[in-house]
Amino acid sequence: MSGFYGVPVDAAYHVVSAFMTVLTPLLGGLAAAAAIVGFTMVVRLLVLPLSYRAMRGMDAQARIAPQVQALRKKHAGKPDRLQRELTTLYQSEGTSMFAGCLPMLLQWPFLSVMYLLFRSSTVGGAPNSLLRHDLLGAPLGSHWLGGTGPFSVQGLVFAAMFALLAGIGWLSYRMAQRMAAQRMATQSRDERVASVAGTVARLTPYLTVVIAAFVPLAAGLYLLTTTAWTLAERKILPHPPPLPPTPGQELRTVTVTEG
């Protein structure tokens, strides 16, 4: 592989290969798959500080979203005043407009290297030997659509992977729903409409099932591991409490409830 990611992908390839060599006496034919899972977990552990900062930033953005919407309405047509008020709000909350985005962008090269390694047929100008191994009889370099049928060994391994990915996507969506419900009662109708984009974002974990159907099994195994890790992070790492409703928002909520 050449280009910007060539050197890091080659380095990752040698690390995973060495990891597989160490695991082979213990796990035999499962060593390659275990090396992919283990390497993915190690990298995700190394970038955990970035993941935590990204999560905290996104939580802060969602937590102060009602205040941001109120400022945008109050100072509509006054961009300079709006910018000053938003800056003051972000500073008072100890966050910024890009608090969640920047840590996510910093993680992207690490995640891209792993994804490219596990989907590339060649590394450093030579065949990717990791893809020559198998998982329970299904080659790690095989594709779901290129198999011998849905009821073959390969088809059943892919079906199990799809089921696990779908389950993780459903759990991620349910978790996002519960977190959104904590803020929904304090949002106005317009803010709820604005949150539709957030709902679409919560559905993105299901896209991994679609992606896994078109990449080698090794890349699908990486996707399964990294999405499960992300779900565990959201479940285990602490979240800040939601902001209490402002008096105006509290009045709107009571009115709607009584009506």
Side-chain angles (χ1 to χ4, degrees):
M1 176 177 292
S2 59
F4 178 79
Y5 285 106
V7 173
V9 169
D10 290 352
Y13 172 74
H14 290 297
V15 172
V16 178
S17 297
F19 196 15
M20 180 183 66
T21 301
V22 171
L23 292 176
T24 297
L26 298 174
L27 301 177
L30 296 176
I36 292 173
V37 173
F39 181 71
T40 302
M41 294 176 67
V42 168
V43 173
R44 290 302 305 263
L45 183 62
L46 292 175
V47 300
L48 182 60
L50 293 175
S51 299
Y52 180 68
R53 291 183 65 87
M55 185 189 72
R56 297 284 290 184
M58 290 186 291
D59 284 343
Q61 292 283 351
R63 189 165 52 95
I64 65 175
Q67 297 181 18
V68 172
Q69 292 293 329
L71 287 175
R72 293 187 184 280
K73 292 178 182 179
K74 182 178 180 180
H75 302 296
K78 302 176 183 178
D80 293 338
R81 177 66 182 278
L82 174 61
Q83 187 59 45
R84 289 196 300 270
E85 294 291 341
L86 288 176
T87 300
T88 301
L89 173 62
Y90 285 123
Q91 289 177 347
S92 66
E93 294 295 329
T95 185
S96 70
M97 188 178 300
F98 306 103
C101 297
L102 185 57
M104 290 182 64
L105 290 176
L106 292 176
Q107 294 180 68
W108 188 253
F110 298 95
L111 304 181
S112 298
V113 165
M114 290 190 291
Y115 178 70
L116 289 173
L117 170 60
F118 300 133
R119 70 179 297 271
S120 300
S121 58
T122 60
V123 177
N128 187 347
S129 63
L130 293 173
L131 303 186
R132 296 178 179 177
H133 298 271
D134 63 82
L135 172 62
L136 302 177
L140 292 175
S142 63
H143 291 71
W144 177 56
L145 297 178
T148 56
F151 300 106
S152 64
V153 171
Q154 179 177 321
L156 293 177
V157 170
F158 270 96
M161 182 177 66
F162 295 155
L164 290 172
L165 283 170
I168 292 171
W170 180 80
L171 290 173
S172 299
Y173 177 67
R174 288 298 300 271
M175 183 182 298
Q177 275 190 319
R178 288 195 297 269
M179 294 174 63
Q182 296 176 358
R183 299 184 297 266
M184 190 62 70
T186 63
Q187 292 181 346
S188 67
R189 180 181 179 277
D190 291 339
E191 289 158 358
R192 294 183 185 184
V193 172
S195 70
V196 171
T199 300
V200 174
R202 297 181 195 111
L203 293 175
T204 55
Y206 291 109
L207 293 178
T208 57
V209 181
V210 179
I211 296 173
F214 295 94
V215 297
L217 179 59
L221 191 59
Y222 156 73
L223 290 174
L224 176 61
T225 306
T226 195
T227 52
W229 184 281
T230 299
L231 176 63
E233 284 181 343
R234 298 294 294 180
K235 183 68 174 179
I236 297 173
L237 295 180
H239 297 268
L243 287 176
T246 61
Q249 291 172 326
E250 194 173 34
L251 178 60
R252 285 197 302 269
T253 304
V254 173
T255 302
V256 172
T257 302
E258 291 179 349

